[in-house]
mmCIF file of all heavy atoms in Angstrom:
data_model
loop_
_atom_site.group_PDB
_atom_site.id
_atom_site.type_symbol
_atom_site.label_atom_id
_atom_site.label_comp_id
_atom_site.label_asym_id
_atom_site.label_seq_id
_atom_site.Cartn_x
_atom_site.Cartn_y
_atom_site.Cartn_z
ATOM 1 N N GLU A 12 -2.706 7.914 -5.784
ATOM 2 C CA GLU A 12 -1.511 8.740 -6.041
ATOM 3 C C GLU A 12 -1.725 10.122 -5.403
ATOM 4 O O GLU A 12 -2.814 10.670 -5.463
ATOM 5 C CB GLU A 12 -1.296 8.945 -7.551
ATOM 6 C CG GLU A 12 -1.582 7.756 -8.454
ATOM 7 C CD GLU A 12 -0.713 6.548 -8.183
ATOM 8 O OE1 GLU A 12 0.487 6.754 -7.947
ATOM 9 O OE2 GLU A 12 -1.220 5.412 -8.193
ATOM 10 N N LYS A 16 1.108 9.622 1.238
ATOM 11 C CA LYS A 16 1.626 8.401 1.841
ATOM 12 C C LYS A 16 3.108 8.499 2.215
ATOM 13 O O LYS A 16 3.476 8.142 3.333
ATOM 14 C CB LYS A 16 1.422 7.321 0.780
ATOM 15 C CG LYS A 16 1.279 5.946 1.184
ATOM 16 C CD LYS A 16 0.684 5.114 0.060
ATOM 17 C CE LYS A 16 1.134 5.349 -1.348
ATOM 18 N NZ LYS A 16 2.487 4.937 -1.687
ATOM 19 N N ARG A 38 8.648 -1.464 0.575
ATOM 20 C CA ARG A 38 7.558 -1.047 -0.306
ATOM 21 C C ARG A 38 7.176 -2.159 -1.275
ATOM 22 O O ARG A 38 7.940 -3.102 -1.490
ATOM 23 C CB ARG A 38 7.975 0.167 -1.118
ATOM 24 C CG ARG A 38 9.069 -0.148 -2.141
ATOM 25 C CD ARG A 38 9.307 1.030 -3.051
ATOM 26 N NE ARG A 38 10.310 0.778 -4.075
ATOM 27 C CZ ARG A 38 10.705 1.671 -4.967
ATOM 28 N NH1 ARG A 38 10.185 2.872 -4.959
ATOM 29 N NH2 ARG A 38 11.619 1.376 -5.874
ATOM 30 N N GLU A 39 5.981 -2.007 -1.846
ATOM 31 C CA GLU A 39 5.547 -2.921 -2.905
ATOM 32 C C GLU A 39 4.998 -2.124 -4.071
ATOM 33 O O GLU A 39 4.432 -1.050 -3.847
ATOM 34 C CB GLU A 39 4.459 -3.861 -2.374
ATOM 35 C CG GLU A 39 5.018 -4.871 -1.406
ATOM 36 C CD GLU A 39 4.333 -6.224 -1.470
ATOM 37 O OE1 GLU A 39 3.256 -6.346 -2.083
ATOM 38 O OE2 GLU A 39 4.894 -7.167 -0.913
ATOM 39 N N PRO A 40 5.067 -2.608 -5.325
ATOM 40 C CA PRO A 40 5.886 -3.766 -5.644
ATOM 41 C C PRO A 40 7.355 -3.423 -5.403
ATOM 42 O O PRO A 40 7.788 -2.311 -5.699
ATOM 43 C CB PRO A 40 5.591 -4.019 -7.127
ATOM 44 C CG PRO A 40 5.058 -2.716 -7.653
ATOM 45 C CD PRO A 40 4.426 -2.012 -6.504
ATOM 46 N N ARG A 50 9.122 -4.684 -10.264
ATOM 47 C CA ARG A 50 8.524 -3.331 -10.204
ATOM 48 C C ARG A 50 8.857 -2.542 -11.479
ATOM 49 O O ARG A 50 7.998 -1.890 -12.064
ATOM 50 C CB ARG A 50 9.042 -2.579 -8.978
ATOM 51 C CG ARG A 50 8.528 -1.151 -8.862
ATOM 52 C CD ARG A 50 9.222 -0.391 -7.741
ATOM 53 N NE ARG A 50 8.734 0.967 -7.661
ATOM 54 C CZ ARG A 50 7.755 1.384 -6.870
ATOM 55 N NH1 ARG A 50 7.155 0.547 -6.070
ATOM 56 N NH2 ARG A 50 7.360 2.645 -6.884
ATOM 57 N N LEU A 54 6.057 -0.967 -13.937
ATOM 58 C CA LEU A 54 5.778 0.471 -14.011
ATOM 59 C C LEU A 54 6.383 1.148 -15.232
ATOM 60 O O LEU A 54 5.978 2.237 -15.600
ATOM 61 C CB LEU A 54 6.268 1.171 -12.734
ATOM 62 C CG LEU A 54 5.629 0.668 -11.430
ATOM 63 C CD1 LEU A 54 6.109 1.477 -10.242
ATOM 64 C CD2 LEU A 54 4.108 0.702 -11.507
ATOM 65 N N GLU A 66 -0.400 -8.243 -15.135
ATOM 66 C CA GLU A 66 -0.093 -7.248 -14.092
ATOM 67 C C GLU A 66 -0.409 -7.821 -12.705
ATOM 68 O O GLU A 66 0.399 -7.721 -11.770
ATOM 69 C CB GLU A 66 -0.930 -5.992 -14.369
ATOM 70 C CG GLU A 66 -0.610 -4.829 -13.458
ATOM 71 C CD GLU A 66 -1.411 -3.591 -13.854
ATOM 72 O OE1 GLU A 66 -0.970 -2.844 -14.752
ATOM 73 O OE2 GLU A 66 -2.493 -3.360 -13.264
ATOM 74 N N MET A 70 2.338 -8.637 -9.749
ATOM 75 C CA MET A 70 2.231 -8.043 -8.403
ATOM 76 C C MET A 70 2.407 -9.140 -7.359
ATOM 77 O O MET A 70 3.123 -8.970 -6.370
ATOM 78 C CB MET A 70 0.863 -7.372 -8.193
ATOM 79 C CG MET A 70 0.652 -6.105 -8.985
ATOM 80 S SD MET A 70 1.731 -4.760 -8.453
ATOM 81 C CE MET A 70 1.308 -3.516 -9.683
ATOM 82 N N ARG A 74 5.338 -9.990 -4.665
ATOM 83 C CA ARG A 74 4.915 -10.110 -3.256
ATOM 84 C C ARG A 74 5.401 -11.413 -2.637
ATOM 85 O O ARG A 74 5.820 -11.438 -1.472
ATOM 86 C CB ARG A 74 3.384 -10.012 -3.200
ATOM 87 C CG ARG A 74 2.799 -10.053 -1.797
ATOM 88 C CD ARG A 74 1.399 -9.482 -1.797
ATOM 89 N NE ARG A 74 1.426 -8.114 -2.285
ATOM 90 C CZ ARG A 74 0.559 -7.592 -3.171
ATOM 91 N NH1 ARG A 74 -0.443 -8.312 -3.633
ATOM 92 N NH2 ARG A 74 0.677 -6.338 -3.563
ATOM 93 N N ASP A 95 5.063 0.344 2.345
ATOM 94 C CA ASP A 95 4.354 1.263 1.469
ATOM 95 C C ASP A 95 3.614 0.416 0.423
ATOM 96 O O ASP A 95 4.261 -0.115 -0.490
ATOM 97 C CB ASP A 95 5.421 2.173 0.819
ATOM 98 C CG ASP A 95 4.832 3.327 0.061
ATOM 99 O OD1 ASP A 95 3.669 3.238 -0.360
ATOM 100 O OD2 ASP A 95 5.556 4.318 -0.126
ATOM 101 N N ARG A 96 2.353 0.231 0.616
ATOM 102 C CA ARG A 96 1.444 -0.592 -0.193
ATOM 103 C C ARG A 96 1.653 -2.086 0.034
ATOM 104 O O ARG A 96 2.753 -2.563 0.236
ATOM 105 C CB ARG A 96 1.570 -0.317 -1.694
ATOM 106 C CG ARG A 96 1.252 1.108 -2.100
ATOM 107 C CD ARG A 96 1.033 1.170 -3.608
ATOM 108 N NE ARG A 96 0.929 2.529 -4.108
ATOM 109 C CZ ARG A 96 -0.177 3.274 -4.049
ATOM 110 N NH1 ARG A 96 -1.274 2.783 -3.513
ATOM 111 N NH2 ARG A 96 -0.185 4.490 -4.541
ATOM 112 N N PHE A 97 0.534 -2.814 -0.101
ATOM 113 C CA PHE A 97 0.540 -4.283 -0.024
ATOM 114 C C PHE A 97 -0.720 -4.755 -0.756
ATOM 115 O O PHE A 97 -1.152 -4.087 -1.701
ATOM 116 C CB PHE A 97 0.617 -4.722 1.473
ATOM 117 C CG PHE A 97 0.977 -6.161 1.683
ATOM 118 C CD1 PHE A 97 2.219 -6.646 1.300
ATOM 119 C CD2 PHE A 97 0.072 -7.047 2.257
ATOM 120 C CE1 PHE A 97 2.543 -7.986 1.493
ATOM 121 C CE2 PHE A 97 0.382 -8.381 2.453
ATOM 122 C CZ PHE A 97 1.615 -8.847 2.075
ATOM 123 N N THR A 98 -1.291 -5.865 -0.320
ATOM 124 C CA THR A 98 -2.353 -6.489 -1.118
ATOM 125 C C THR A 98 -3.626 -5.645 -1.254
ATOM 126 O O THR A 98 -4.372 -5.810 -2.224
ATOM 127 C CB THR A 98 -2.664 -7.874 -0.522
ATOM 128 O OG1 THR A 98 -1.420 -8.589 -0.479
ATOM 129 C CG2 THR A 98 -3.644 -8.664 -1.358
ATOM 130 N N ALA A 100 -3.621 -2.714 -2.128
ATOM 131 C CA ALA A 100 -3.403 -1.988 -3.391
ATOM 132 C C ALA A 100 -3.805 -2.868 -4.581
ATOM 133 O O ALA A 100 -4.298 -2.362 -5.592
ATOM 134 C CB ALA A 100 -1.951 -1.562 -3.519
ATOM 135 N N THR A 101 -3.604 -4.168 -4.451
ATOM 136 C CA THR A 101 -3.993 -5.056 -5.551
ATOM 137 C C THR A 101 -5.518 -5.094 -5.684
ATOM 138 O O THR A 101 -6.061 -5.045 -6.792
ATOM 139 C CB THR A 101 -3.440 -6.476 -5.319
ATOM 140 O OG1 THR A 101 -2.065 -6.379 -4.955
ATOM 141 C CG2 THR A 101 -3.582 -7.326 -6.570
ATOM 142 N N TYR A 104 -6.278 -1.439 -7.160
ATOM 143 C CA TYR A 104 -5.832 -1.109 -8.527
ATOM 144 C C TYR A 104 -6.211 -2.193 -9.539
ATOM 145 O O TYR A 104 -6.795 -1.894 -10.574
ATOM 146 C CB TYR A 104 -4.317 -0.865 -8.558
ATOM 147 C CG TYR A 104 -3.912 0.478 -8.015
ATOM 148 C CD1 TYR A 104 -3.857 0.708 -6.636
ATOM 149 C CD2 TYR A 104 -3.580 1.534 -8.856
ATOM 150 C CE1 TYR A 104 -3.492 1.945 -6.131
ATOM 151 C CE2 TYR A 104 -3.209 2.773 -8.358
ATOM 152 C CZ TYR A 104 -3.166 2.977 -7.000
ATOM 153 O OH TYR A 104 -2.806 4.200 -6.494
ATOM 154 N N GLN A 105 -5.823 -3.448 -9.251
ATOM 155 C CA GLN A 105 -6.131 -4.500 -10.229
ATOM 156 C C GLN A 105 -7.614 -4.902 -10.137
ATOM 157 O O GLN A 105 -8.229 -5.230 -11.132
ATOM 158 C CB GLN A 105 -5.211 -5.722 -10.032
ATOM 159 C CG GLN A 105 -3.790 -5.530 -10.558
ATOM 160 C CD GLN A 105 -2.994 -4.452 -9.857
ATOM 161 O OE1 GLN A 105 -2.884 -4.461 -8.636
ATOM 162 N NE2 GLN A 105 -2.458 -3.514 -10.623
ATOM 163 N N ARG A 149 4.689 16.532 -8.823
ATOM 164 C CA ARG A 149 5.802 15.899 -8.127
ATOM 165 C C ARG A 149 6.827 15.277 -9.071
ATOM 166 O O ARG A 149 8.004 15.510 -8.969
ATOM 167 C CB ARG A 149 5.189 14.820 -7.230
ATOM 168 C CG ARG A 149 6.089 14.169 -6.252
ATOM 169 C CD ARG A 149 5.305 13.212 -5.391
ATOM 170 N NE ARG A 149 4.621 12.175 -6.161
ATOM 171 C CZ ARG A 149 3.670 11.403 -5.688
ATOM 172 N NH1 ARG A 149 3.223 11.557 -4.479
ATOM 173 N NH2 ARG A 149 3.125 10.465 -6.454
ATOM 174 N N ASP A 153 4.343 7.319 -13.973
ATOM 175 C CA ASP A 153 4.678 5.987 -14.487
ATOM 176 C C ASP A 153 3.462 5.414 -15.221
ATOM 177 O O ASP A 153 2.432 6.083 -15.340
ATOM 178 C CB ASP A 153 5.192 5.073 -13.356
ATOM 179 C CG ASP A 153 4.145 4.818 -12.281
ATOM 180 O OD1 ASP A 153 2.962 4.648 -12.629
ATOM 181 O OD2 ASP A 153 4.514 4.794 -11.092
ATOM 182 N N ILE A 155 1.160 3.245 -14.564
ATOM 183 C CA ILE A 155 -0.132 3.160 -13.860
ATOM 184 C C ILE A 155 -0.647 4.567 -13.520
ATOM 185 O O ILE A 155 -1.835 4.844 -13.645
ATOM 186 C CB ILE A 155 -0.012 2.258 -12.609
ATOM 187 C CG1 ILE A 155 0.312 0.822 -13.064
ATOM 188 C CG2 ILE A 155 -1.294 2.288 -11.776
ATOM 189 C CD1 ILE A 155 0.507 -0.202 -11.963
ATOM 190 N N GLU A 156 0.266 5.459 -13.161
ATOM 191 C CA GLU A 156 -0.149 6.834 -12.823
ATOM 192 C C GLU A 156 -0.752 7.571 -14.019
ATOM 193 O O GLU A 156 -1.410 8.586 -13.844
ATOM 194 C CB GLU A 156 1.058 7.636 -12.295
ATOM 195 C CG GLU A 156 1.432 7.287 -10.873
ATOM 196 C CD GLU A 156 2.752 7.904 -10.435
ATOM 197 O OE1 GLU A 156 3.524 8.377 -11.299
ATOM 198 O OE2 GLU A 156 3.020 7.889 -9.232
ATOM 199 N N PHE A 163 -8.958 6.056 -11.219
ATOM 200 C CA PHE A 163 -8.583 6.329 -9.827
ATOM 201 C C PHE A 163 -9.803 6.500 -8.922
ATOM 202 O O PHE A 163 -9.726 6.235 -7.724
ATOM 203 C CB PHE A 163 -7.637 7.535 -9.740
ATOM 204 C CG PHE A 163 -6.278 7.202 -10.282
ATOM 205 C CD1 PHE A 163 -5.842 7.717 -11.494
ATOM 206 C CD2 PHE A 163 -5.447 6.311 -9.609
ATOM 207 C CE1 PHE A 163 -4.603 7.370 -12.010
ATOM 208 C CE2 PHE A 163 -4.204 5.961 -10.114
ATOM 209 C CZ PHE A 163 -3.782 6.491 -11.319
HETATM 210 P P1 TMP B 1 3.855 3.874 -5.514
HETATM 211 O O1 TMP B 1 3.429 4.949 -6.411
HETATM 212 O O2 TMP B 1 3.180 3.922 -4.184
HETATM 213 O O3 TMP B 1 5.317 3.695 -5.415
HETATM 214 O O4 TMP B 1 3.286 2.483 -6.134
HETATM 215 C C1 TMP B 1 3.604 2.067 -7.385
HETATM 216 C C2 TMP B 1 2.376 1.849 -8.246
HETATM 217 O O5 TMP B 1 2.016 0.470 -8.223
HETATM 218 C C3 TMP B 1 1.133 2.644 -7.876
HETATM 219 O O6 TMP B 1 0.643 3.243 -9.060
HETATM 220 C C4 TMP B 1 0.165 1.585 -7.415
HETATM 221 C C5 TMP B 1 0.614 0.340 -8.120
HETATM 222 N N1 TMP B 1 0.291 -0.918 -7.441
HETATM 223 C C6 TMP B 1 -0.687 -1.729 -7.975
HETATM 224 O O7 TMP B 1 -1.280 -1.393 -8.997
HETATM 225 N N2 TMP B 1 -0.966 -2.911 -7.349
HETATM 226 C C7 TMP B 1 -0.307 -3.339 -6.233
HETATM 227 O O8 TMP B 1 -0.596 -4.412 -5.703
HETATM 228 C C8 TMP B 1 0.718 -2.475 -5.693
HETATM 229 C C9 TMP B 1 1.469 -2.912 -4.484
HETATM 230 C C10 TMP B 1 0.985 -1.276 -6.329
#
Side-chain angles (χ1 to χ4, degrees):
E12 321 298 319
K16 206 163 41 70
R38 68 172 182 181
E39 289 214 347
R50 178 188 179 94
L54 300 184
E66 186 176 275
M70 290 293 175
R74 183 160 301 136
D95 190 337
R96 299 196 189 279
F97 195 65
T98 305
T101 313
Y104 283 78
Q105 284 64 53
R149 189 176 58 195
D153 63 39
I155 296 178
E156 284 170 345
F163 289 108

